Amino acid sequence: MFTKAIVRPPGPNLAEGLTTMDLGAPNYRRALQQHAAYCEALEECGVTLTRLEADEQYPDSTFVEDTAVVTNRGAILTRPGAASRAGEVERIAEVLSRFYSELHFIHPPGRLDGGDVCEAGCEAGCEAGYEAERGARSHFFIGISERTNEAGAQQLADWLASHGFSSTFVDIRGVKNMLHLKSGLAFLGDNRLVVSDALADRDEFRGHELVRVTAGEEYAANCVRVNDRVLVAAGYPGFTGTLQDLGYPTIALEMVEFRKMDGGLSCLSLRF
Ligand code: CIR
């Protein structure tokens, strides 16, 4: 159950952020509208928002998820893999210190982006949802990517272990079009993982029920279960139908402008 989330709207210089996409520059006005609808959806799911001011010094700062890993037992600030995003962390640390009495940090030579970290309920094999619902041992998948290195992943794994959590590394270097692990992976609860085709055969996910993303709808894999609903990118009817057939009420959100900057639904908030 999430009760809180931190969000930051994009600034007018969103287009100056990093991207591997070739979809043109985002339209700022539409990006603001899409962000507003995203915030409204979180509130509809019962989440109280901490709304930060846009920060023009960091054009990627709307993607707050990358700056921290927040759990029900503590929070750790990341050390983003992209140098241009390093300064985002300090500002998020100030905000998180309102909610957590102690904050931890990833240290050099570690690099870690929150988008590479997927909390996935209890360890594979335990009774579905049972432990996770009681706030006990969650399991985390940690992507090793172009942004997250082994040292960062190991520091996070050690920190998680010290808080009673287990974790598994998933190496996604070399997987095409996958900036972060969560670009192709999401946890739905009920021992279910959403996976894009590129990750579907990985041993790491055995023990979970896999929900495959419809071919051609890979971007939709970055969906977010928020309490009773699943937020899903608009425009992916095959995958949205799959979620609904599984019994999840969905909220479809336009993400076109954020997609142009490699952003997905999960990266627009820190949920806890
Ligand atoms: C970046 O390249 O860092 C941003 N333009 C996009 C970050 C997306 N974050 C995420 O998926 N967690």
Side-chain angles (χ1 to χ4, degrees), residues 18-19 60 63 65-66 85 115 147 179-180 261-264 267:
L18 303 167
T19 188
D60 279 313
F63 304 116
E65 175 184 66
D66 292 319
R85 302 196 59 188
R147 298 285 178 91
L179 178 66
H180 289 122
M261 301 310 294
D262 272 332
C267 55

Side-chain angles (χ1 to χ4, degrees), residues 55-126:
D55 184 349
E56 282 194 58
Q57 199 180 338
Y58 298 102
D60 279 313
S61 58
T62 188
F63 304 116
V64 287
E65 175 184 66
D66 292 319
T67 59
V69 177
V70 285
T71 77
N72 57 7
R73 294 183 177 184
I76 183 163
L77 280 300
T78 66
R79 191 162 173 267
S84 64
R85 302 196 59 188
E88 294 176 31
V89 168
E90 201 176 312
R91 292 162 192 224
I92 294 292
E94 280 164 31
V95 181
L96 283 175
S97 66
R98 298 179 208 159
F99 300 100
Y100 292 92
S101 54
E102 202 185 346
L103 293 176
H104 298 260
F105 291 83
I106 298 291
H107 299 288
R111 295 268 178 205
L112 182 87
D113 275 14
D116 277 318
V117 183
C118 182
E119 182 170 2
C122 57
E123 255 185 309
C126 79

Side-chain angles (χ1 to χ4, degrees), residues 7-22:
V7 290
R8 191 193 282 289
N13 59 347
L14 173 65
E16 291 166 25
L18 303 167
T19 188
T20 59
M21 290 285 175
D22 193 13

Side-chain angles (χ1 to χ4, degrees), residues 28 35 50 64 67 80 85 98 114 138 175 204 211 216 220 237:
Y28 175 53
H35 194 268
T50 298
V64 287
T67 59
R85 302 196 59 188
R98 298 179 208 159
S138 267
V175 180
E204 293 91 331
V211 179

